[in-house]
């Protein structure tokens, strides 16, 4: 059986919305008799808590207790009993619930907002680079999640307040109103600064959420860098398209006030669009321009070069992604040395030229075919073959070889299993999806 999960939040004492009103009524019914609550309600609540605790302790098994995963196994539900008799474990999931407030002005309790679509003429103009830079400020500050508190910039600290801030709106919106400020687009057209929005009109507190698209993190476009406001605080994380759950319900939108391009409109001479100079890039450099370069490269198909996403410190991933972009334009020699110059920067900022081709595609430098998955039976205790060696070497190359003492080699060992498990858990998988035994999806991502 699945153990129920309860989440409580403190409703605003004067909030008129139905959610807060219902929560206040529930809290009143839950008071102890000594504090003025109803004895029958208190007893029922205590019985419910005891029953829930018993359900978690007993756990459960069966086809309905897990989630299907890409490697063909099942991910155990919380509280599921393990086959070896060990105690069940509660694993943190990457798909938190995100209740939120409704439309309202800055720095004030939420109230009902206007019901109209805003055109490009009535919105504040902003570039894609500015949207991402504002989003990163909350990531760097680790702004705590709250549906009732407001950050120092005046925006509510929930998922829709975060997008309102990044889009530089003049008030705090919610998932039910954000679409009025944008235009629906196809997911294949996503660019940094666009959003992926899921609004559940029947029960907005169940599943409704919104993320900011920061660029593709792999050449298959299966994952993207999601900027989002969630518990416990703002984060930027490689996320399955479109989200960990309810993926099919997320709709892509583009802000109606965006000035176009990857980081600004053509001809934009603002400080955000100007080339910062060659001195900002190269070995030892650590600055915001390197981060922005990486984000633009990811948006142009360079995500496969980054294992953990772009950052401020110049790395070999930045050089390789820059070189791939330069070569995609037909440049060679000193024009494709992996260090951005004024032309490379101008092409990226203004969305000019060709995108980086996918690995293995015609024209992709160093393209090579991904080896076919040899089958699960090759990776089991007692097995010895060249595929185990191939797997181990790839794990080491990707930075997941710390459990090897003398390997990798052709014989499957516990070190191989633990390294594979570390790689699987880095993908956000848990339970049987991260058991240390590679399946087709593990193999595909490992050799991507």
């Amino acid at each position: 059986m699945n153990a129920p999960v309860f989440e409580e939040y403190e409703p605003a004492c004067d909030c008129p919305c139905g959610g807060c009103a219902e929560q206040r009524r529930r809290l009143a019914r839950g008071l102890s008799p000594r504090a003025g609550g109803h004895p029958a309600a208190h007893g029922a609540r205590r019985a419910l808590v005891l029953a829930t605790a018993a359900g978690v302790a007993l756990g459960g098994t069966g086809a309905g207790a897990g989630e299907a995963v890409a490697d063909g196994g099942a991910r155990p539900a919380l509280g599921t009993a393990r086959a070896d008799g060990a105690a069940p474990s509660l694993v943190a999931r990457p798909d938190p619930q995100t209740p939120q407030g409704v439309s309202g002005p800055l720095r004030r309790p939420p109230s009902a907002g206007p019901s109209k679509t805003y055109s490009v003429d009535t919105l504040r103009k902003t570039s894609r680079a500015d949207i991402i830079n504002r989003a990163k400020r909350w990531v760097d500050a680790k702004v705590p999640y709250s549906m009732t508190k407001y950050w120092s910039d005046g925006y509510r600290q929930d998922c829709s307040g975060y997008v309102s801030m990044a889009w530089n709106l003049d008030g705090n919106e919610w998932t039910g109103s954000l679409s009025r400020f944008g235009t629906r687009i196809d997911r294949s057209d996503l660019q940094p600064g666009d959003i992926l929005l899921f609004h559940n009109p029947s029960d907005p507190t169940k599943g409704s959420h919104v993320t900011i698209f920061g660029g593709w993190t792999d050449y298959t476009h299966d994952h993207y860098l999601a900027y989002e406001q969630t518990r416990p605080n703002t984060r930027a994380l490689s996320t399955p398209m479109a989200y960990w759950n309810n993926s099919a319900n997320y709709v892509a939108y583009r802000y109606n006030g965006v000035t176009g391009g990857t980081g600004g409109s053509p001809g934009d001479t603002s400080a955000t669009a100007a080339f910062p100079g060659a001195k900002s890039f190269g070995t030892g450099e650590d600055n915001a321009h390197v981060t922005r370069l990486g984000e633009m490269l990811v948006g142009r198909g360079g995500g496969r070069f980054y294992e953990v996403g772009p950052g401020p410190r110049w790395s070999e991933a930045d050089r390789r992604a820059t070189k791939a972009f330069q070569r995609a334009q037909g440049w060679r020699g000193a024009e494709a040395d992996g260090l951005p110059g004024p032309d490379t920067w101008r092409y990226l900022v203004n969305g000019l030229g060709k995108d980086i081709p996918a690995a293995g595609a015609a024209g992709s430098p160093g393209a090579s075919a991904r080896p076919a998955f040899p089958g699960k039976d090759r990776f089991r205790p007692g097995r010895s073959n060249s595929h185990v060696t191939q797997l181990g070497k790839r794990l080491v190359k990707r930075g997941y070889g710390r459990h090897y003492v003398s390997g990798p080699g052709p014989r499957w060992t516990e070190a191989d299993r633990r390294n594979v498990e570390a790689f699987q858990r880095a993908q956000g998988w848990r339970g049987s999806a991260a058991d240390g035994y590679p399946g087709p999806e593990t193999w595909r991502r490992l050799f991507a």
Side-chain angles (χ1 to χ4, degrees), residues 279-305:
K279 64 181 183 301
S280 298
F281 308 100
T283 304
E285 294 302 321
D286 189 334
N287 56 70
H289 302 301
V290 176
T291 303
R292 186 182 175 201
L293 172 73
E295 290 170 347
M296 291 191 293
L297 288 167
V298 167
R300 298 299 297 273
R304 71 174 185 272
F305 296 100

Side-chain angles (χ1 to χ4, degrees), residues 80-283:
T80 302
R82 290 170 47 183
D84 57 7
S89 60
L90 298 180
V91 180
R93 295 182 60 184
D95 49 351
Q97 296 182 18
T98 51
Q100 59 182 312
V102 295
S103 298
L106 299 182
R107 295 188 175 88
R108 288 167 55 187
S111 59
S115 177
K116 66 177 182 179
T117 299
Y118 293 81
S119 70
V120 65
D121 296 327
T122 60
L123 292 174
R124 298 174 179 174
K125 304 301 186 292
T126 188
S127 69
R128 296 187 180 282
D130 288 339
I131 292 174
I132 296 299
N133 286 337
R134 282 191 291 268
K136 287 171 58 181
R137 288 175 196 155
W138 277 32
V139 174
D140 295 340
K142 293 182 169 55
V143 176
Y145 183 91
S146 174
M147 62 177 290
T148 58
K149 295 180 180 179
Y150 295 77
W151 194 237
S152 57
D153 54 17
Y155 290 94
R156 194 176 56 241
Q157 296 168 213
D158 58 16
C159 62
S160 47
Y162 181 50
V163 171
S164 301
M165 178 276 299
W167 277 6
N168 199 27
L169 303 182
D170 59 5
N172 284 286
E173 297 304 320
W174 71 308
T175 55
S177 61
L178 279 171
S179 62
R180 301 172 191 149
F181 296 83
T183 300
R184 183 168 179 171
I185 61 174
D186 190 83
R187 289 183 183 180
S188 62
D189 293 332
L190 280 165
Q191 295 184 47
D194 298 336
I195 64 171
L196 286 157
L197 172 68
F198 169 41
H199 177 65
N200 183 3
S202 61
D203 190 350
T205 65
K206 298 296 184 183
S208 297
H209 190 44
V210 60
T211 68
I212 300 172
F213 180 83
W216 300 108
T217 59
D218 65 350
Y219 73 93
T220 63
H221 290 191
D222 287 339
H223 283 66
Y224 69 103
L225 183 63
Y227 291 89
E228 61 175 323
Q229 178 66 356
T230 185
R231 291 189 176 95
N233 48 248
T234 322
R235 72 184 184 185
L237 181 68
S238 179
T239 302
M241 175 56 60
Y243 203 63
W244 305 93
N245 58 6
N246 295 316
S247 177
N249 294 316
Y250 279 77
V251 179
Y253 285 93
R254 176 162 298 154
Y255 177 49
N256 285 335
V258 74
T259 54
T262 304
S265 59
D268 187 357
T269 58
S270 66
T272 59
F275 178 56
K279 64 181 183 301
S280 298
F281 308 100
T283 304

Side-chain angles (χ1 to χ4, degrees), residues 297 300-306 316-332 335-339 344 348 354-359 363-366:
L297 288 167
R300 298 299 297 273
R304 71 174 185 272
F305 296 100
Y306 295 91
E316 178 64 13
D318 295 303
R319 189 195 67 78
R320 292 175 61 202
T322 301
K323 184 174 183 178
F325 178 77
Q326 292 167 333
R327 291 181 66 85
Q329 314 315 311
W331 305 340
R332 296 294 183 268
E335 294 181 336
D337 58 0
L339 295 173
T344 301
L348 287 170
K354 299 179 180 179
D355 289 347
I356 300 171
S364 176

